[in-house]
Every structure is written in structure tokens, then in C-alpha cells.
Amino acid sequence: MPTPRLIHPVPIFIRQIERSLTPQDDDAREPVGQVYRNQKPIKMMGQVRYLDATDAPAATPGGVTEHSSGYVLFRTLDLRARRIELQRGDRIVQIGEGALADEVDLYITQKPIRGHYPQHQGGTLQKFFFSDRKPSRQRGDL
């Protein structure tokens, strides 16, 4: 069975978290200040889908509940070929290339694996939900 294909893939530019270079608070076990990210974004071909833009993070008794702004779908084969392991907190900085490129400030929030086929012995697609953390780095309408 062939591997699944993406529908209308576009270039996605992502800056990954460098946890080993980020100062950590030993007591709280969390980053101190801003998380360090590699300055050069990686480029991957992915399928983008935006969801309802009215969702916003909501305070609940159990903590903040985040709602996704959309998702990007990548083929597991492509990620493994380039030895890329995307994780929560990685930042999508650009969608598209050239004259129609969009500079964005989107953060990966979840990573469910999809497309499990017996012939491939595992998930063939990785779906990365993202959230827009407005108004940080927002331009134009403030």
C-alpha cells in the first residue's frame, strides 16, 4: 500500500524549542524567562487547516483550557527522513513562500498521530494542532 499524500501541501517554517539551552528553574522544573529557540527555521511541506477563530484560552478550576486555531498535517515519513521531532511549544513562523507567504505566530499545542495502516505498522500522518497567542507579536490592529 502506498503512503498517504497531503492535499495541496505548502511550505511551513518552524522554529523548534532548544530545551538544553533554555535556563531551567530546578525547583519549579520549568523554563526561566523566554524559551530558547533555534534562530533558523526548518522548512517542511504540510497541509494547513484553520478552525473557528473565535476560540480563546479559558480559565477553568483545573487550569487554562486552550482551544486550537487549526492544525498542520505532516507525513511521518517526511519528518523521520529529516530527523525532526516536533513538540508542544514549537513555533510556526511562516506559512507559504514568496509573494503569498503569511508571517504568523502560532504555537504547537497537541500532537495526535493519524493514519494507522497494518502495511505501514504505525501512524503515517502526524497532526499538529496550533494556537495563536494573541496579542503577542500582533501587528496592525492594536
Side-chain angles (χ1 to χ4, degrees), residues 21 41 43 53-54 57 61 100 110 138:
L21 299 175
K43 175 184 171 184
T54 60
L100 298 178
Q110 298 178 44
Q138 190 171 3

Side-chain angles (χ1 to χ4, degrees), residues 62-113:
V64 176
T65 303
E66 292 182 287
H67 299 282
S68 298
S69 302
Y71 65 83
V72 179
L73 194 63
F74 294 113
R75 294 184 335 149
T76 304
L77 183 70
D78 297 335
L79 292 169
R80 289 199 177 145
R82 296 199 45 206
R83 295 184 178 149
I84 295 172
E85 184 70 34
L86 298 177
Q87 59 188 326
R88 179 181 169 86
D90 286 348
R91 185 171 155 225
I92 300 170
V93 295
Q94 183 176 324
I95 297 175
E97 214 170 16
L100 298 178
D102 275 334
E103 287 187 23
V104 294
D105 190 27
L106 306 170
Y107 294 83
I108 294 175
T109 58
Q110 298 178 44
K111 174 186 122 171
I113 298 174

Side-chain angles (χ1 to χ4, degrees), residues 9-66:
V10 296
I12 311 289
F13 294 86
I14 301 169
R15 289 181 60 202
Q16 291 189 279
I17 289 177
E18 293 284 344
R19 293 199 190 276
S20 62
L21 299 175
T22 301
Q24 297 284 323
D25 181 342
D26 293 331
D27 295 329
R29 290 179 283 180
E30 63 182 19
V32 176
Q34 190 70 10
V35 174
Y36 181 79
R37 288 186 173 79
N38 189 351
Q39 297 305 311
K40 184 176 180 187
I42 57 170
K43 175 184 171 184
M44 290 292 302
M45 296 301 285
Q47 178 179 322
V48 180
R49 173 134 194 261
Y50 285 97
L51 303 174
D52 186 9
T54 60
D55 287 342
T60 64
V64 176
T65 303
E66 292 182 287

Side-chain angles (χ1 to χ4, degrees), residues 127-139:
K127 191 176 194 177
F128 294 92
F129 286 94
F130 56 76
S131 179
D132 189 357
R133 296 185 182 168
K134 293 180 181 176
S136 70
R137 302 178 198 265
Q138 190 171 3
R139 297 183 200 156

Side-chain angles (χ1 to χ4, degrees), residues 111-122:
K111 174 186 122 171
I113 298 174
R114 301 284 190 249
H116 292 79
Y117 296 104
Q119 297 88 342
H120 293 289
Q121 300 177 351

